[in-house]
């Protein structure tokens, strides 16, 4: 009995502390207290990795003056052209559709400025997302020229950042929905084991926009390779296969005989054919 009283007293004290530390609600009609003039929002200098970086940059960047040389797509406005519902939620399919409808517009804009600057494509450009405003092009000799294009065209740079933020948002949301599906099927402990084997990159992979001179599409890093951006169904299948690794291996097609006995030679022959 005495132990129960002590426990109840500790719980009451913690509840009092939590209520005392809770922030008071702010009337949205009132302006927040500031010291001096309002400061324009800027992206953080050391933001965490992931689509949050690009989302913050896309929202913080001031809308550029209209550029008659650039075309606009549905994802260039507001929350990627989608309107939240009564509960403040976005329809992911609508966001994804607007992003993909904007890709041909971005490809046309990028192709035009590349031709004007003498940037030759193909070979394709893989514009990787990072914490910097400029896209990264590792191991590409055209990186400096391409980054200068984005410096000279703020509208194109903003379009690129909004696309990266949008595809990152959709990719992370699809991963979350895939984990919710797997949780109902596998349970918490098995799902935790599967997620540990998959690694953090399965939920938030490194993203890039690829441009071949005429078309653009999103890709994600998978280990040392790149693949098309994965969606909800593909992520759900991968979680299911990872929960039964032996069965996944049995479902894989058999390797060619030359690849079994000479894997290095098979890789070299495949590389020569590219």
């Amino acid at each position: 009995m005495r132990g129960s009283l002590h426990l109840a007293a500790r719980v009451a004290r913690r509840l009092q502390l939590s209520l005392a530390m809770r922030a008071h609600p702010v009337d949205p009609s009132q302006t927040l207290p500031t010291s001096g003039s309002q400061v324009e929002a800027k992206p953080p200098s050391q933001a965490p990795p992931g689509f949050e970086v690009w989302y913050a940059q896309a929202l913080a960047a001031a809308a550029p003056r209209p550029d008659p040389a650039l075309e606009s797509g549905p994802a260039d406005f507001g929350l990627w052209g989608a309107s939240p519902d009564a509960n403040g939620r976005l329809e992911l399919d609508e966001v994804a559709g607007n992003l993909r409808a904007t890709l041909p517009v971005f490809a046309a804009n990028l192709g035009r400025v590349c031709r004007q600057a003498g940037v030759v494509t193909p070979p394709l450009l893989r514009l990787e997302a990072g914490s910097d405003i400029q896209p990264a092009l590792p191991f590409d000799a055209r990186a400096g020229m391409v980054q200068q294009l984005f410096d000279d065209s703020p509208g194109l740079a903003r379009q690129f950042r909004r696309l990266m933020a949008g595809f990152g948002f959709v990719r992370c949301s699809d991963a979350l929905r895939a984990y919710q599906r797997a949780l109902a099927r596998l349970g918490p402990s098995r799902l935790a084991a599967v997620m540990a084997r998959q690694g953090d990159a399965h939920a938030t992979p490194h993203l890039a926009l690829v441009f071949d001179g005429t078309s653009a599409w999103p890709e994600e890093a998978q280990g040392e390779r790149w693949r098309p951006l994965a969606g909800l169904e593909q992520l759900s299948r991968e979680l299911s296969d990872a929960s039964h690794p032996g069965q996944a291996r049995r479902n894989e097609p058999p390797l060619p005989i030359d690849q079994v006995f000479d894997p290095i030679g098979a890789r070299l022959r495949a590389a020569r054919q590219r």
Side-chain angles (χ1 to χ4, degrees), residues 216-245:
W217 63 91
E219 288 187 349
E220 63 180 55
Q222 185 186 34
E224 298 180 356
R225 298 184 177 183
W226 290 89
R227 69 175 184 178
L229 193 69
L232 172 61
E233 299 303 328
Q234 180 177 349
L235 295 173
S236 298
R237 285 194 302 271
E238 291 173 356
L239 291 174
S240 178
D241 292 342
S243 65
H244 303 88

Side-chain angles (χ1 to χ4, degrees), residues 193-209:
V194 169
M195 292 176 66
R197 289 195 297 269
Q198 293 284 358
D200 294 339
H202 189 259
T204 56
H206 192 59
L207 303 184
L209 280 181

